[in-house]
Every structure is written in structure tokens, then in C-alpha cells.
Amino acid sequence: MVKIELADGVYWVGAVDWNVRDFHGYETRRGTTYNAYLIKDEKTALVDTVKYPFSEELAKKIGEITNVEKLDYIIANHVETDHSSALPYIIKHAKNATIIASQRGKEGLTKHYGENLPIKTVKTGDELKLGKKTLRFIEAPMLHWPDSMFTYVVEDAILMPNDAFGQHLASSQRFDDEIDQPLLMEEAAKYYANILMPFASLAIRKIQEITEMHIPLKMIAPSHGIIWRSEPNKIVKVYMDWSEGVQKKKAVIVYDTMWGSTDKMARAIAEGIISQGIEVKFFKLRDSDVTDIATEILETRAVVLGSPTLNNSMFPSISAFLTYITGLKPKGKLWAFFGSYGWGGGAARQMVETAKKAGFDVYEPALEVKYVPTKEELEKCFAFGKEIAGKIAKPSN
Ligand code: FEO
């Protein structure tokens, strides 16, 4: 097997999961990778493991470089099982290895895999000498779990930030200069939107903290997808933009429909927005994937959400969507609501209440029609779209 070397003595030993399509609900249509890295010096360290079904593959890759049984350290940057569930398998063979983790990492690993693991805890700034090479640790709590930690290979200037800067993207290539850029950035955005967006303010602080450390960055080697080596600072800058809420003059319309009335409204609203030269992305929820919608929302200025009323409530798919999207805490968006009803109504009111409770900026009043929209009501929908376009066109502050 071809050895993939990031620097002299630093190897990728991860696994490509070509076929995973549901990653705890995240739609991974392009699969993913579980990246693990081996650093060989006088002492040998494995940085992260992989998901359990790939344990033997990991051990085989390590075995092509060094003897698994002679591993000295296993760095556990993150407890989530896509990176740690091969740890029991590896530690069974690497009987003398010490596991290195943050304090919260130790708590999490112990809860997952038992009390008897040989874990040494580290804090930000702690270093581990392997010989000529040094590993420095940077705690990164809530990016995206409390235990999360980055490992920095000092002499090679390689940052291994685990989930941060990753993408769910299976590929035969390992490096950013080997792959289609729009595809790479699309998957990086989807990953940020669906995994890291709730922690935007922490991401800003962590990037600032690392910048203030003045550490050179030759490569960023995340735990999923492609390794950033051509311009590692490019993805750092993009993360900063996303975390600060950079926006495009764009609206995302998301709706569901029972008998077509809310669909007619959605189309008329879209026409109203487009008539003002504003880009629209349009999703019928039951035919779409929420992780794709979250990706579109990442850089949008306005979200327009429509629901029919069912049993005096918003439609179940809309309710589930709001649960997911409020959890992601998108910042600085304008939220507008519309819907149809047969007799009592209720969906629009519920959507507005849910959005306000989440702290969203809500455009009021919501637009509702009874039964089927008339020609006049569709004109009102068009005008509603134009009003929203006007808000999008104005610079936000
Ligand atoms: Fe890739 Fe948070 O695990």
C-alpha cells in the first residue's frame, strides 16, 4: 500500500468510508474519511483512531510503518466514536501505549470504554517530546464537544484540529491541491453549517487564540476529509467569515405543503424576491435534506418559512426543521413566515413564537391565507416577497 506522508515521519493512516450516507442524521452523500495520523520518531504517536469497523484497516496501515505493539502514545483529540471507537482494539495490541487526552476527554473515554485505560491528561501548552519532534496540545472545548483538543506538530508546523476544518468527503486524494475546489469548499461549508455553526463565537476566540500564539501553519490536517496544505490559512479565514456571519444578498425559502396552497404561496413569494434582483434558493422540505438547507442558510440574509396548518399546529416536518435549525443558532438572519389554513389557523403563529423564543429577528406580520390563495392573495404573496427583498438589499448591522 502507498504510504501517505505529510512530512518526514508524519503519515496519514486513516480510513475512507465511501459508503456512509447517514452520519448521525447528517446526509453524507459523498461519504467521509476518518483521518488518523502516525508520527514516527524515537517515540511513536498515533493521533486519533477511526470508527470501529475500520479498526483492522488502521492497525494494518500502522503496521506498514511501525510495529503496532510498539506504539508509545495514542493522542485522543476527541471522544466521539467516529474517532475513538477503534481505540479499544488498538490499545489491546499496543499494550505499553499511553493515551493522551484532555481532562474532559479522559472522562468521556472512561465512560465509553471503561475505567482501566492508561490515560494521561494534558492542558493547553503542554508538550510531548517524541525525539526530534514535539507535540503541543491546545484544548478546544465545545469545538465541538467539551473534550475536543487540537494537536500541533511543532517542528513540521502541522495542526491536527480533529473535527474543525473537516469535510465529510470520501476521496482517493488526501490533499486540497489534488481535488476540485468548489466541491471541497461546498463540503467544508456543509460541515461547518451542520457541526460548528452553533459554536461560532467559540470558533472566533479559538482562531484568535491560535493567531496570538504566532505558530506557523504549514498544514491543517483535520480528522475528516481533505488535508489543507496549499494555503492552510485560506480555510482559517473562511471559518472566521462564517463565524462572524458573513452574508450574501440571498433568500432561502423553505416550506411544506398538504394540498398545494402553501406551495403556490411559496412560488409567488419567490417571484416577488427574484423580481428585485435577489437570489432565491427554494426547498420543499419533504423533498429536501435539512443538512443541505442548513448549508444554504449559512451565508443567506433571509429565511422565509412556510407551513400549512395541521390540527391547529405547524406541519410536523416544519416543526422538526425548526428544532434542527434553532439548535444550529444561525446568526444575523431575517426570518419571515407564511402559510395556509382551512379554518382555525395556528401554523404561522407557532412558527413566529418558536423563532422569537430562539432569539431570531422576525419579520412581521406573517402572511396567511385561508384554503386556496386567490389571485389577489397571490399578489399579496408577491408583494410580501418584494418587501423581504427590500430588507435583504439593505445592509444589515
Ligand atoms: Fe468527527 Fe465530533 O466527531
Side-chain angles (χ1 to χ4, degrees):
M1 201 172 286
V2 179
K3 288 180 196 161
I4 296 162
E5 209 167 14
L6 281 67
D8 189 28
V10 181
Y11 302 88
W12 177 85
V13 288
V16 180
D17 192 349
W18 293 97
N19 297 322
V20 63
R21 292 292 177 269
D22 179 344
F23 190 99
H24 63 45
Y26 181 133
E27 193 268 339
T28 45
R29 75 169 68 87
R30 295 188 176 109
T32 194
T33 72
Y34 313 108
N35 296 339
Y37 302 97
L38 187 77
I39 301 156
K40 193 166 183 290
D41 203 330
E42 288 162 33
K43 301 276 186 187
T44 304
L46 174 68
V47 179
D48 288 317
T49 69
V50 295
K51 195 168 154 186
Y52 177 73
F54 299 91
S55 302
E56 281 182 31
E57 186 178 329
L58 170 65
K60 188 164 175 278
K61 284 203 179 92
I62 296 169
E64 284 166 6
I65 299 161
T66 191
N67 189 337
V68 181
E69 278 144 30
K70 291 194 175 151
L71 279 179
D72 296 290
Y73 301 103
I74 302 167
I75 317 301
N77 277 327
H78 183 26
V79 171
E80 196 163 8
T81 53
D82 50 329
H83 309 293
S84 73
S85 54
L87 182 62
Y89 180 91
I90 295 295
I91 204 78
K92 205 163 66 185
H93 294 83
K95 291 193 189 318
N96 297 319
T98 302
I99 299 165
I100 306 286
S102 65
Q103 178 58 38
R104 302 294 282 276
K106 179 179 179 177
E107 290 163 23
L109 292 171
T110 302
K111 201 79 202 320
H112 278 78
Y113 307 115
E115 296 283 342
N116 298 320
L117 294 172
I119 304 176
K120 179 180 183 293
T121 62
V122 288
K123 300 189 293 301
T124 294
D126 286 353
E127 291 190 343
L128 181 66
K129 271 278 185 204
L130 300 178
K132 291 195 186 85
K133 293 184 193 290
T134 315
L135 303 185
R136 186 181 299 160
F137 305 104
I138 303 165
E139 292 165 278
M142 297 320 297
L143 290 175
H144 67 126
W145 276 22
D147 52 85
S148 297
M149 184 172 85
F150 299 173
T151 296
Y152 179 66
V153 189
V154 176
E155 290 74 12
D156 299 308
I158 301 174
L159 184 67
M160 297 173 175
N162 196 265
D163 280 331
F165 308 114
Q167 334 89 45
H168 284 311
L169 178 56
S171 167
S172 55
Q173 292 90 357
R174 299 274 67 81
F175 296 98
D176 60 346
D177 46 284
E178 299 172 329
I179 199 153
D180 179 67
Q181 291 303 299
L183 174 89
L184 174 60
M185 293 316 293
E186 180 191 326
E187 289 300 337
K190 184 171 175 177
Y191 192 92
Y192 178 92
N194 287 281
I195 305 283
L196 291 157
M197 189 152 63
F199 313 108
S201 52
L202 292 171
I204 291 171
R205 263 186 268 151
K206 189 54 59 182
I207 290 170
Q208 286 168 341
E209 184 189 320
I210 290 173
T211 307
E212 282 158 19
M213 288 176 182
H214 300 293
I215 53 174
L217 269 189
K218 274 198 199 152
M219 222 177 277
I220 296 178
S223 59
H224 294 292
I226 295 301
I227 297 163
W228 306 92
R229 76 172 171 191
S230 67
E231 280 180 85
N233 285 317
K234 180 176 149 191
I235 188 64
V236 176
K237 186 187 172 310
V238 172
Y239 257 53
M240 201 63 170
D241 288 346
W242 287 333
S243 301
E244 287 175 339
V246 68
Q247 289 182 345
K248 290 182 178 156
K249 289 186 177 172
K250 184 175 98 173
V252 174
I253 297 179
V254 184
Y255 71 100
D256 224 325
T257 195
M258 287 175 69
W259 294 108
S261 293
T262 312
D263 180 85
K264 286 191 176 84
M265 294 178 78
R267 288 171 196 278
I269 292 167
E271 280 176 28
I273 298 173
I274 294 164
S275 74
Q276 301 305 298
I278 301 287
E279 182 189 357
V280 165
K281 295 284 180 173
F282 194 85
F283 295 95
K284 181 186 163 199
L285 197 45
R286 291 204 322 285
D287 295 337
S288 307
D289 183 82
V290 288
T291 47
D292 288 331
I293 298 174
T295 311
E296 288 297 341
I297 287 176
L298 175 61
E299 291 189 354
T300 200
R301 170 71 186 106
V303 186
V304 189
L305 187 61
S307 175
T309 294
L310 177 68
N311 301 329
N312 303 321
S313 303
M314 57 182 140
F315 208 59
S317 60
I318 298 290
S319 176
F321 172 75
L322 275 171
T323 300
Y324 185 68
I325 209 75
T326 54
L328 292 179
K329 300 185 174 67
K331 284 199 294 194
K333 318 292 176 197
L334 179 70
W335 290 77
F337 299 94
F338 65 98
S340 60
Y341 62 95
W343 44 101
R349 188 188 64 248
Q350 273 192 352
M351 289 189 290
V352 167
E353 281 170 4
T354 306
K356 283 186 174 172
K357 204 170 153 199
F360 289 175
D361 177 16
V362 176
Y363 175 83
E364 290 188 281
L367 183 64
E368 286 190 284
V369 304
K370 188 170 183 177
Y371 289 124
V372 178
T374 61
K375 183 170 172 289
E376 290 72 30
E377 284 167 332
L378 287 175
E379 281 165 6
K380 276 189 189 167
C381 291
F382 185 87
F384 186 77
K386 277 176 73 177
E387 284 168 37
I388 291 161
K391 299 277 182 195
I392 294 169
K394 280 188 198 152
S396 60
N397 46 39

